[in-house]
Amino acid sequence: MWLSDRLEKNGESDPAWQAMRAILVREGAGEVLEWGRKLAAGSDKFGHAGELLELAEKKAEGQKDAALLAAARTSLRDWYWQRDDYAKVIVYCDKLLGTATEPVEREKLQLMLLDAYLQTADVAKVGQLMASRLAETDMGAEDAFVSKIGTFLSLAGGNAAVKTAVVEALVAIKPAEARPRWMSRLNVWRQMTNPPEIPAVPAPETTPPG
């Protein structure tokens, strides 16, 4: 569509966008999704890709096309992720989790959710997600979820109060079964957020002259 070449040009962007949108509104979900992805792959200076991807989502819902709907929501999740809009990332990960059946896909979505919860300081959700995983298995340092939390807690310059709150939420989890590898990591994180106080060294006594 030749109009797309004018979307980034000053003075031509808005008229070109309005004309392009008027055409795509009459198209099916697949066509709209294709153009939304094309714009998202470019600079998308004015954020038009997001509007097209949302339009594709609505059209896919209307067409009752589950595959296209999942594709549109995946593209929207990725588009918001690139813009650090973690609240929207959470919305679309939740939508995708509602229909995802493959374990690998569900784990990928949960990992993205964990990252978004950490970025938005939603410590309660962090605790809930990790509690659900601990109900299924023990997790050590090599686990992707444990690694994600460790990276967050190790970030220099991060909000110390949020880091402490995250660890407190994790400490509050009470797994029904023993989780020794998890407890080992938890002890490391507690030390990271609550380092032991270094005792003050008394000043050496000085003998007065004379």
Coordinates of all heavy atoms in Angstrom, one line a residue, residues 113-194:
L113 N 5.0 -12.7 32.2 CA 4.2 -12.1 33.3 C 5.0 -11.8 34.5 O 4.9 -10.7 35.1 CB 3.0 -13.1 33.7 CG 1.8 -13.0 32.8 CD1 0.8 -14.1 33.2 CD2 1.1 -11.6 33.0
L114 N 5.9 -12.7 34.9 CA 6.8 -12.5 36.0 C 7.6 -11.2 35.8 O 7.8 -10.4 36.7 CB 7.7 -13.7 36.2 CG 8.7 -13.6 37.4 CD1 8.1 -13.3 38.7 CD2 9.6 -14.8 37.4
D115 N 8.2 -11.1 34.6 CA 9.0 -9.9 34.3 C 8.2 -8.7 34.4 O 8.6 -7.7 35.0 CB 9.6 -10.1 32.9 CG 10.8 -9.3 32.7 OD1 11.1 -8.3 33.5 OD2 11.6 -9.5 31.8
A116 N 7.0 -8.7 33.9 CA 6.1 -7.5 33.9 C 5.7 -7.2 35.4 O 5.6 -6.0 35.8 CB 4.8 -7.8 33.1
Y117 N 5.4 -8.2 36.2 CA 5.0 -8.0 37.6 C 6.2 -7.3 38.3 O 6.0 -6.4 39.2 CB 4.7 -9.3 38.3 CG 3.4 -10.0 37.8 CD1 3.3 -11.4 37.9 CD2 2.4 -9.3 37.3 CE1 2.1 -12.0 37.5 CE2 1.2 -9.9 36.9 CZ 1.1 -11.3 36.9 OH 0.0 -11.9 36.5
L118 N 7.4 -7.8 38.1 CA 8.6 -7.2 38.7 C 8.8 -5.7 38.3 O 9.0 -4.9 39.1 CB 9.8 -8.0 38.4 CG 9.9 -9.4 39.0 CD1 11.1 -10.2 38.4 CD2 10.1 -9.3 40.5
Q119 N 8.6 -5.5 37.0 CA 8.7 -4.1 36.5 C 7.7 -3.2 37.0 O 7.9 -2.0 37.2 CB 8.7 -4.1 34.9 CG 9.8 -4.9 34.3 CD 11.2 -4.3 34.6 OE1 11.3 -3.1 34.8 NE2 12.2 -5.1 34.6
T120 N 6.5 -3.7 37.3 CA 5.4 -2.8 37.8 C 5.3 -2.9 39.3 O 4.4 -2.4 39.9 CB 4.0 -3.2 37.2 OG1 3.8 -4.6 37.4 CG2 4.0 -2.9 35.7
A121 N 6.2 -3.6 40.0 CA 6.3 -3.7 41.5 C 5.0 -4.4 42.0 O 4.6 -4.0 43.1 CB 6.5 -2.4 42.1
D122 N 4.4 -5.3 41.3 CA 3.2 -6.0 41.8 C 3.7 -7.2 42.5 O 3.7 -8.4 42.0 CB 2.3 -6.4 40.6 CG 0.9 -6.8 41.0 OD1 0.8 -7.2 42.2 OD2 0.0 -6.8 40.2
V123 N 4.2 -7.0 43.7 CA 4.8 -8.1 44.5 C 3.8 -9.2 44.9 O 4.2 -10.4 45.0 CB 5.5 -7.5 45.8 CG1 6.6 -6.6 45.4 CG2 4.5 -6.8 46.7
A124 N 2.5 -8.8 45.0 CA 1.5 -9.9 45.3 C 1.4 -10.8 44.2 O 1.3 -12.1 44.4 CB 0.2 -9.2 45.6
K125 N 1.4 -10.3 43.0 CA 1.3 -11.2 41.8 C 2.6 -12.1 41.6 O 2.5 -13.2 41.2 CB 1.1 -10.4 40.5 CG -0.3 -9.8 40.4 CD -1.4 -10.9 40.2 CE -2.7 -10.3 39.9 NZ -3.8 -11.3 39.7
V126 N 3.7 -11.5 41.9 CA 5.0 -12.2 41.9 C 4.9 -13.4 42.8 O 5.2 -14.6 42.5 CB 6.2 -11.4 42.3 CG1 7.4 -12.2 42.5 CG2 6.4 -10.3 41.3
G127 N 4.4 -13.2 44.1 CA 4.2 -14.2 45.0 C 3.2 -15.3 44.6 O 3.5 -16.5 44.7
Q128 N 2.1 -14.9 44.0 CA 1.1 -15.8 43.6 C 1.6 -16.7 42.4 O 1.4 -18.0 42.4 CB -0.1 -15.1 43.1 CG -0.9 -14.4 44.2 CD -2.0 -13.5 43.6 OE1 -2.4 -13.6 42.5 NE2 -2.5 -12.6 44.5
L129 N 2.4 -16.1 41.5 CA 2.9 -16.9 40.4 C 3.9 -17.9 40.8 O 3.9 -19.1 40.4 CB 3.5 -15.9 39.3 CG 3.8 -16.5 37.9 CD1 3.8 -15.4 36.9 CD2 5.1 -17.3 37.9
M130 N 4.8 -17.5 41.7 CA 5.8 -18.4 42.2 C 5.3 -19.5 43.1 O 5.7 -20.6 43.1 CB 6.9 -17.6 42.9 CG 7.7 -16.6 42.0 SD 8.4 -17.4 40.5 CE 9.7 -18.4 41.2
A131 N 4.2 -19.1 43.8 CA 3.6 -20.1 44.7 C 3.0 -21.2 43.8 O 3.0 -22.4 44.1 CB 2.5 -19.5 45.5
S132 N 2.4 -20.8 42.7 CA 1.7 -21.8 41.8 C 2.8 -22.8 41.2 O 2.6 -24.0 41.0 CB 0.9 -21.2 40.7 OG 1.8 -20.5 39.8
R133 N 4.0 -22.2 40.9 CA 5.0 -23.1 40.3 C 5.6 -24.0 41.4 O 6.0 -25.1 41.1 CB 6.1 -22.2 39.7 CG 5.6 -21.5 38.4 CD 6.8 -20.9 37.6 NE 7.7 -21.9 37.2 CZ 7.5 -22.7 36.1 NH1 6.4 -22.6 35.4 NH2 8.4 -23.6 35.8
L134 N 5.8 -23.4 42.6 CA 6.3 -24.2 43.7 C 5.4 -25.4 44.1 O 5.8 -26.4 44.6 CB 6.6 -23.4 44.9 CG 7.9 -22.5 44.8 CD1 7.9 -21.5 45.9 CD2 9.2 -23.4 44.8
A135 N 4.1 -25.2 43.8 CA 3.2 -26.3 44.1 C 3.4 -27.5 43.2 O 3.1 -28.6 43.5 CB 1.7 -25.8 43.9
E136 N 4.1 -27.2 42.0 CA 4.3 -28.3 41.1 C 5.7 -28.9 41.1 O 5.9 -30.1 40.9 CB 4.1 -27.7 39.6 CG 2.7 -27.2 39.4 CD 2.6 -26.6 38.0 OE1 3.6 -26.5 37.3 OE2 1.5 -26.1 37.7
T137 N 6.7 -28.0 41.5 CA 8.1 -28.5 41.4 C 9.0 -27.6 42.3 O 8.7 -26.5 42.6 CB 8.6 -28.5 40.0 OG1 9.9 -29.1 39.9 CG2 8.7 -27.1 39.4
D138 N 10.2 -28.2 42.6 CA 11.3 -27.4 43.2 C 12.0 -26.6 42.1 O 12.0 -27.0 41.0 CB 12.2 -28.4 43.9 CG 13.1 -27.7 44.9 OD1 12.9 -26.4 45.2 OD2 14.0 -28.3 45.5
M139 N 12.6 -25.5 42.5 CA 13.3 -24.7 41.6 C 14.7 -24.2 42.1 O 14.7 -23.7 43.2 CB 12.5 -23.5 41.2 CG 11.2 -23.8 40.5 SD 10.2 -22.3 40.0 CE 9.6 -21.9 41.7
G140 N 15.7 -24.4 41.3 CA 17.0 -24.0 41.7 C 17.5 -22.9 40.9 O 16.8 -22.3 40.1
A141 N 18.8 -22.6 41.0 CA 19.4 -21.4 40.3 C 19.3 -21.5 38.8 O 19.3 -20.5 38.1 CB 20.9 -21.3 40.7
E142 N 19.2 -22.7 38.2 CA 19.2 -22.9 36.8 C 17.8 -22.6 36.2 O 17.6 -22.5 35.0 CB 19.7 -24.3 36.4 CG 18.7 -25.4 36.6 CD 18.5 -25.7 38.1 OE1 19.3 -25.3 38.9 OE2 17.5 -26.5 38.4
D143 N 16.8 -22.6 37.1 CA 15.4 -22.4 36.6 C 15.2 -20.9 36.1 O 15.7 -20.0 36.6 CB 14.4 -22.6 37.8 CG 13.0 -22.4 37.4 OD1 12.4 -23.4 36.9 OD2 12.5 -21.3 37.6
A144 N 14.5 -20.8 35.0 CA 14.3 -19.5 34.3 C 13.6 -18.5 35.2 O 14.0 -17.3 35.2 CB 13.6 -19.7 33.0
F145 N 12.7 -18.9 36.0 CA 11.9 -18.0 36.8 C 12.8 -17.6 38.0 O 12.8 -16.4 38.3 CB 10.7 -18.7 37.4 CG 9.6 -19.0 36.3 CD1 9.7 -20.0 35.4 CD2 8.5 -18.1 36.2 CE1 8.8 -20.3 34.5 CE2 7.6 -18.3 35.2 CZ 7.7 -19.4 34.4
V146 N 13.6 -18.5 38.6 CA 14.5 -18.1 39.6 C 15.6 -17.1 39.1 O 15.9 -16.2 39.8 CB 15.2 -19.4 40.2 CG1 16.3 -19.0 41.2 CG2 14.1 -20.2 40.9
S147 N 16.1 -17.4 37.9 CA 17.1 -16.6 37.3 C 16.5 -15.2 37.1 O 17.2 -14.2 37.3 CB 17.5 -17.2 36.0 OG 18.4 -16.3 35.3
K148 N 15.2 -15.1 36.6 CA 14.6 -13.8 36.4 C 14.6 -12.9 37.7 O 14.9 -11.7 37.7 CB 13.2 -14.0 35.8 CG 12.5 -12.7 35.5 CD 13.0 -12.1 34.2 CE 12.7 -12.9 33.0 NZ 13.2 -12.2 31.7
I149 N 14.2 -13.6 38.7 CA 14.1 -12.9 40.0 C 15.5 -12.5 40.5 O 15.7 -11.3 41.0 CB 13.4 -13.8 41.1 CG1 11.9 -14.0 40.7 CG2 13.5 -13.1 42.5 CD1 11.2 -15.0 41.6
G150 N 16.4 -13.4 40.4 CA 17.8 -13.1 40.8 C 18.4 -11.9 40.0 O 19.1 -11.0 40.6
T151 N 18.1 -11.8 38.7 CA 18.6 -10.7 37.9 C 18.0 -9.4 38.4 O 18.6 -8.4 38.5 CB 18.3 -10.9 36.4 OG1 18.9 -12.1 36.0 CG2 18.7 -9.8 35.6
F152 N 16.7 -9.4 38.7 CA 16.0 -8.2 39.1 C 16.6 -7.7 40.4 O 16.8 -6.6 40.6 CB 14.5 -8.5 39.3 CG 13.7 -7.4 39.9 CD1 13.3 -6.3 39.1 CD2 13.3 -7.4 41.2 CE1 12.6 -5.3 39.7 CE2 12.6 -6.4 41.8 CZ 12.3 -5.3 41.0
L153 N 16.8 -8.7 41.4 CA 17.3 -8.3 42.7 C 18.8 -7.8 42.6 O 19.2 -7.1 43.5 CB 17.2 -9.5 43.6 CG 15.8 -9.9 44.0 CD1 15.9 -11.2 44.9 CD2 15.0 -8.8 44.7
S154 N 19.5 -8.2 41.6 CA 20.9 -7.8 41.4 C 21.1 -6.5 40.7 O 22.2 -6.0 40.6 CB 21.7 -8.9 40.7 OG 21.6 -10.2 41.3
L155 N 20.0 -6.0 40.1 CA 20.2 -4.7 39.3 C 20.7 -3.6 40.2 O 20.1 -3.3 41.3 CB 18.8 -4.3 38.7 CG 18.3 -5.1 37.5 CD1 16.9 -4.7 37.2 CD2 19.3 -4.9 36.3
A156 N 21.8 -3.0 39.7 CA 22.3 -1.8 40.5 C 21.3 -0.6 40.3 O 20.8 -0.4 39.2 CB 23.7 -1.5 39.9
G157 N 21.1 0.1 41.4 CA 20.3 1.3 41.3 C 18.8 1.0 41.3 O 18.0 1.9 41.2
G158 N 18.4 -0.2 41.5 CA 17.0 -0.5 41.6 C 16.4 -0.1 42.9 O 17.1 0.3 43.8
N159 N 15.1 -0.1 43.0 CA 14.4 0.4 44.2 C 14.5 -0.6 45.3 O 14.0 -1.7 45.2 CB 12.9 0.6 43.8 CG 12.1 1.2 45.0 OD1 12.3 0.9 46.1 ND2 11.3 2.2 44.6
A160 N 15.3 -0.3 46.3 CA 15.6 -1.2 47.4 C 14.3 -1.7 48.1 O 14.2 -2.8 48.5 CB 16.6 -0.6 48.4
A161 N 13.4 -0.8 48.3 CA 12.2 -1.1 49.0 C 11.3 -2.1 48.2 O 10.8 -3.1 48.8 CB 11.3 0.2 49.2
V162 N 11.3 -2.0 46.9 CA 10.6 -3.0 46.1 C 11.3 -4.3 46.1 O 10.6 -5.4 46.2 CB 10.5 -2.5 44.6 CG1 9.9 -3.6 43.7 CG2 9.6 -1.2 44.5
K163 N 12.6 -4.3 46.0 CA 13.3 -5.6 46.1 C 13.1 -6.3 47.4 O 12.8 -7.5 47.5 CB 14.8 -5.3 46.0 CG 15.3 -4.8 44.6 CD 16.8 -4.6 44.5 CE 17.2 -4.1 43.2 NZ 18.7 -3.9 43.1
T164 N 13.1 -5.5 48.5 CA 12.8 -6.1 49.8 C 11.4 -6.7 49.9 O 11.2 -7.8 50.4 CB 13.0 -5.1 50.9 OG1 14.4 -4.6 50.9 CG2 12.7 -5.7 52.3
A165 N 10.4 -5.9 49.3 CA 9.0 -6.4 49.3 C 8.9 -7.7 48.5 O 8.1 -8.5 48.9 CB 8.1 -5.3 48.8
V166 N 9.6 -7.8 47.4 CA 9.5 -9.0 46.6 C 10.0 -10.2 47.4 O 9.4 -11.2 47.4 CB 10.4 -8.8 45.3 CG1 10.6 -10.2 44.6 CG2 9.7 -7.9 44.3
V167 N 11.2 -10.0 48.0 CA 11.7 -11.1 48.8 C 10.8 -11.5 50.0 O 10.5 -12.7 50.2 CB 13.1 -10.8 49.4 CG1 13.6 -11.9 50.3 CG2 14.1 -10.6 48.2
E168 N 10.2 -10.5 50.6 CA 9.2 -10.8 51.7 C 8.0 -11.6 51.2 O 7.5 -12.5 51.8 CB 8.8 -9.5 52.3 CG 9.8 -8.8 53.2 CD 9.4 -7.5 53.7 OE1 8.4 -7.0 53.3 OE2 10.1 -6.9 54.5
A169 N 7.5 -11.2 50.0 CA 6.4 -12.0 49.4 C 6.8 -13.4 49.1 O 6.0 -14.3 49.2 CB 6.0 -11.3 48.1
L170 N 8.0 -13.6 48.7 CA 8.5 -15.0 48.4 C 8.7 -15.8 49.6 O 8.4 -17.0 49.7 CB 9.8 -14.9 47.6 CG 9.7 -14.2 46.2 CD1 11.1 -14.1 45.5 CD2 8.7 -14.9 45.3
V171 N 9.2 -15.1 50.7 CA 9.4 -15.8 52.0 C 8.1 -16.3 52.5 O 8.0 -17.3 53.2 CB 10.1 -14.9 53.0 CG1 10.1 -15.4 54.4 CG2 11.6 -14.6 52.5
A172 N 7.0 -15.5 52.2 CA 5.7 -15.8 52.8 C 5.1 -17.0 52.2 O 4.1 -17.6 52.7 CB 4.8 -14.6 52.6
I173 N 5.6 -17.5 51.0 CA 5.1 -18.7 50.4 C 5.4 -19.9 51.2 O 6.6 -20.1 51.7 CB 5.7 -18.9 49.0 CG1 5.4 -17.7 48.1 CG2 5.2 -20.2 48.3 CD1 6.1 -17.7 46.7
K174 N 4.4 -20.8 51.5 CA 4.6 -22.0 52.3 C 4.3 -23.2 51.4 O 3.1 -23.7 51.4 CB 3.7 -21.9 53.5 CG 3.9 -20.7 54.4 CD 5.3 -20.5 54.9 CE 5.5 -19.3 55.8 NZ 6.9 -19.0 56.1
P175 N 5.3 -23.7 50.7 CA 5.0 -24.9 49.8 C 4.5 -26.1 50.7 O 5.0 -26.3 51.8 CB 6.3 -25.2 49.2 CG 7.1 -23.9 49.3 CD 6.7 -23.3 50.6
A176 N 3.6 -26.9 50.1 CA 3.1 -28.0 50.8 C 4.1 -29.1 51.0 O 4.1 -29.9 51.9 CB 1.9 -28.6 50.1
E177 N 5.1 -29.1 50.1 CA 6.2 -30.1 50.1 C 7.5 -29.4 50.2 O 7.7 -28.3 49.9 CB 6.2 -31.0 48.8 CG 4.9 -31.8 48.7 CD 4.9 -32.6 47.4 OE1 6.0 -33.0 47.0 OE2 3.8 -32.9 46.9
A178 N 8.5 -30.2 50.7 CA 9.9 -29.6 50.8 C 10.4 -29.2 49.5 O 10.3 -29.9 48.5 CB 10.8 -30.7 51.5
R179 N 11.0 -28.0 49.5 CA 11.6 -27.4 48.3 C 13.0 -26.9 48.6 O 13.3 -25.7 48.7 CB 10.8 -26.3 47.8 CG 9.3 -26.7 47.3 CD 9.4 -27.6 46.1 NE 8.1 -27.9 45.6 CZ 7.6 -29.1 45.4 NH1 8.3 -30.1 45.7 NH2 6.4 -29.3 44.8
P180 N 14.0 -27.8 48.8 CA 15.3 -27.5 49.3 C 16.1 -26.5 48.4 O 16.8 -25.6 48.8 CB 16.0 -28.8 49.5 CG 15.3 -29.8 48.6 CD 13.9 -29.3 48.7
R181 N 16.0 -26.7 47.1 CA 16.7 -25.9 46.1 C 16.1 -24.5 46.2 O 16.9 -23.5 46.1 CB 16.6 -26.5 44.7 CG 17.4 -27.8 44.6 CD 16.9 -28.6 43.4 NE 17.2 -28.0 42.2 CZ 16.5 -28.0 41.1 NH1 15.4 -28.8 41.1 NH2 16.9 -27.5 40.0
W182 N 14.8 -24.4 46.3 CA 14.2 -23.1 46.4 C 14.6 -22.3 47.6 O 14.9 -21.1 47.6 CB 12.6 -23.2 46.3 CG 11.9 -22.0 46.7 CD1 11.2 -21.8 47.9 CD2 11.7 -20.8 45.9 NE1 10.6 -20.6 47.9 CE2 10.9 -19.9 46.7 CE3 12.1 -20.4 44.7 CZ2 10.5 -18.7 46.2 CZ3 11.7 -19.2 44.2 CH2 10.9 -18.3 45.0
M183 N 14.6 -23.1 48.7 CA 15.0 -22.5 50.0 C 16.4 -22.0 50.0 O 16.7 -20.9 50.6 CB 14.8 -23.5 51.2 CG 13.4 -23.9 51.4 SD 12.3 -22.4 51.8 CE 13.1 -21.8 53.3
S184 N 17.3 -22.7 49.3 CA 18.7 -22.2 49.1 C 18.7 -20.9 48.4 O 19.5 -20.0 48.9 CB 19.5 -23.3 48.3 OG 20.8 -22.8 48.1
R185 N 18.0 -20.7 47.3 CA 18.0 -19.4 46.6 C 17.3 -18.4 47.5 O 17.8 -17.2 47.5 CB 17.2 -19.6 45.3 CG 17.8 -20.5 44.3 CD 19.3 -20.4 44.2 NE 19.7 -19.1 43.8 CZ 21.0 -18.6 43.8 NH1 21.9 -19.4 44.2 NH2 21.3 -17.4 43.4
L186 N 16.3 -18.7 48.2 CA 15.6 -17.7 49.0 C 16.6 -17.2 50.1 O 16.5 -16.0 50.4 CB 14.4 -18.4 49.7 CG 13.3 -17.5 50.2 CD1 12.7 -16.7 49.0 CD2 12.1 -18.4 50.7
N187 N 17.4 -18.0 50.7 CA 18.4 -17.6 51.7 C 19.4 -16.6 51.0 O 19.8 -15.6 51.7 CB 19.1 -18.8 52.3 CG 18.2 -19.5 53.2 OD1 17.3 -19.0 53.8 ND2 18.5 -20.8 53.4
V188 N 19.8 -16.9 49.8 CA 20.7 -16.0 49.1 C 20.0 -14.6 48.9 O 20.6 -13.6 49.1 CB 21.1 -16.5 47.7 CG1 21.9 -15.5 46.9 CG2 21.9 -17.8 47.9
W189 N 18.8 -14.6 48.5 CA 18.0 -13.3 48.2 C 17.8 -12.6 49.5 O 17.9 -11.3 49.5 CB 16.7 -13.6 47.5 CG 16.9 -14.2 46.2 CD1 18.0 -14.1 45.3 CD2 15.9 -15.0 45.4 NE1 17.8 -14.8 44.2 CE2 16.5 -15.3 44.2 CE3 14.6 -15.5 45.7 CZ2 15.9 -16.1 43.2 CZ3 14.0 -16.3 44.8 CH2 14.6 -16.6 43.6
R190 N 17.6 -13.3 50.6 CA 17.4 -12.6 51.9 C 18.7 -11.9 52.3 O 18.6 -10.7 52.8 CB 16.9 -13.6 52.9 CG 15.6 -14.1 52.7 CD 15.2 -15.2 53.7 NE 14.8 -14.6 55.0 CZ 14.3 -15.3 56.0 NH1 14.1 -16.6 55.8 NH2 13.9 -14.8 57.1
Q191 N 19.8 -12.5 52.0 CA 21.1 -11.8 52.3 C 21.3 -10.7 51.4 O 21.9 -9.7 51.9 CB 22.2 -12.9 52.2 CG 22.1 -14.0 53.3 CD 23.2 -15.0 53.0 OE1 24.1 -14.9 52.3 NE2 23.0 -16.2 53.7
M192 N 20.9 -10.7 50.2 CA 21.1 -9.6 49.2 C 20.3 -8.4 49.7 O 20.8 -7.3 49.5 CB 20.6 -10.1 47.8 CG 21.6 -11.1 47.2 SD 20.8 -11.7 45.6 CE 20.7 -10.2 44.6
T193 N 19.1 -8.6 50.1 CA 18.2 -7.5 50.5 C 18.3 -7.1 51.9 O 17.9 -6.0 52.3 CB 16.7 -7.8 50.2 OG1 16.4 -9.0 50.8 CG2 16.5 -8.0 48.7
N194 N 18.9 -7.9 52.8 CA 19.1 -7.6 54.2 C 20.5 -8.0 54.6 O 20.7 -8.9 55.4 CB 18.1 -8.4 55.1 CG 16.7 -7.9 54.8 OD1 16.3 -6.8 55.2 ND2 15.9 -8.7 54.1

